[in-house]
Amino acid sequence: MFAQSRVAAAVVAACSIVITAERIAIGANDVVVKKGSLVFDDGKGHLDISGTESFALTADVGLIGGVFTGYSRCQANECVPGTIVDLHATWFGLDLQGDGRLRGAAFSDVGELDGESSAHIEFSGTAMMPAMSSAPVTISVPFTCNGFFASSLKRKNADSVMLSGAGTASVRLRPSADRTRWYFDHVVFQFEAGKAK
């Protein structure tokens, strides 16, 4: 019942954004994320990012309502040495709740069902699993990020900006007890201003 209610709520939130799309000024002043990170471990993470247009977003995320392909794949015992693992991770709507700021305006209702602001964040990248080791190993690979931030959704001056950014993902891998595969132990997607397009 809870799962059905959550899905229904997500559909309602998504539909409200679609309905207001006609009066949202998309792309007028897109945001480049230049600072901050997503830190993820033990099935949950914390997002804290900022960028141009005085943008900032903080939120707690997890696997219950979002997707982190690489983390889930390794938890399923599929990350043997040489495997190319997709670092795709994404959260949207009710699964990305927190506080935002844009052009001097603050929004404390990001992602809430009755809120006036919503966001979507999506990370992309790949990592090759290294040769096995008896100790944890950290690998670093580039990533890109895209998404959007919508505000004032219940008003006539509803607004939306596209988000983009890039940086380095540091993935700390933990070996399995029999040393045949890797698990994601700790992941940091660190944004870097010099890599943003």
Side-chain angles (χ1 to χ4, degrees), residues 39-70:
V39 180
F40 196 96
D41 54 26
D42 196 27
K44 56 184 180 297
H46 181 70
L47 179 72
D48 188 348
I49 58 177
S50 61
T52 58
E53 299 295 319
S54 299
F55 169 79
L57 177 64
T58 59
D60 291 319
V61 298
L63 293 179
I64 294 179
V67 173
F68 190 171
T69 303

Side-chain angles (χ1 to χ4, degrees), residues 113-145:
L113 183 59
D114 295 324
E116 293 193 11
S117 58
S118 184
H120 172 227
I121 195 84
E122 183 171 17
F123 296 83
S124 299
T126 59
M128 177 180 287
M129 296 297 96
M132 289 308 305
S133 168
S134 59
V137 171
T138 297
I139 57 177
S140 297
V141 297
F143 77 86
T144 58
C145 181

Side-chain angles (χ1 to χ4, degrees), residues 12-190:
V12 171
C15 288
S16 68
I17 293 175
V18 172
I19 292 172
T20 56
E22 292 184 359
R23 54 190 178 87
I24 291 178
I26 297 177
N29 293 287
D30 291 346
V31 167
V32 177
V33 178
K34 294 189 172 184
K35 295 174 57 179
S37 62
L38 167 65
V39 180
F40 196 96
D41 54 26
D42 196 27
K44 56 184 180 297
H46 181 70
L47 179 72
D48 188 348
I49 58 177
S50 61
T52 58
E53 299 295 319
S54 299
F55 169 79
L57 177 64
T58 59
D60 291 319
V61 298
L63 293 179
I64 294 179
V67 173
F68 190 171
T69 303
Y71 185 94
S72 298
R73 184 176 182 185
C74 289
Q75 290 300 105
N77 302 320
E78 297 180 1
C79 292
V80 298
T83 301
I84 302 296
V85 177
D86 189 353
L87 298 182
H88 175 254
T90 186
W91 289 271
F92 166 74
L94 297 176
D95 299 311
L96 186 59
Q97 297 188 359
D99 299 310
R101 189 177 71 248
L102 181 66
R103 303 181 189 127
F107 305 92
S108 60
D109 61 354
V110 179
E112 295 182 9
L113 183 59
D114 295 324
E116 293 193 11
S117 58
S118 184
H120 172 227
I121 195 84
E122 183 171 17
F123 296 83
S124 299
T126 59
M128 177 180 287
M129 296 297 96
M132 289 308 305
S133 168
S134 59
V137 171
T138 297
I139 57 177
S140 297
V141 297
F143 77 86
T144 58
C145 181
N146 293 284
F148 74 83
F149 181 80
S151 60
S152 303
L153 293 175
K154 296 181 180 180
R155 305 178 186 180
K156 292 182 178 180
N157 62 337
D159 189 20
S160 179
V161 293
M162 304 306 293
L163 309 177
S164 65
T168 300
S170 298
V171 184
R172 187 171 70 205
L173 301 168
R174 172 174 49 85
S176 60
D178 60 1
R179 300 179 187 176
T180 60
R181 56 195 178 276
W182 294 104
Y183 296 109
F184 277 27
D185 189 45
H186 183 78
V187 184
V188 178
F189 290 90
Q190 185 68 51

Side-chain angles (χ1 to χ4, degrees), residues 1-15 64 94-95 113:
M1 180 64 70
F2 174 77
Q4 292 178 338
S5 298
R6 188 177 183 85
V7 170
V11 171
V12 171
C15 288
I64 294 179
L94 297 176
D95 299 311
L113 183 59

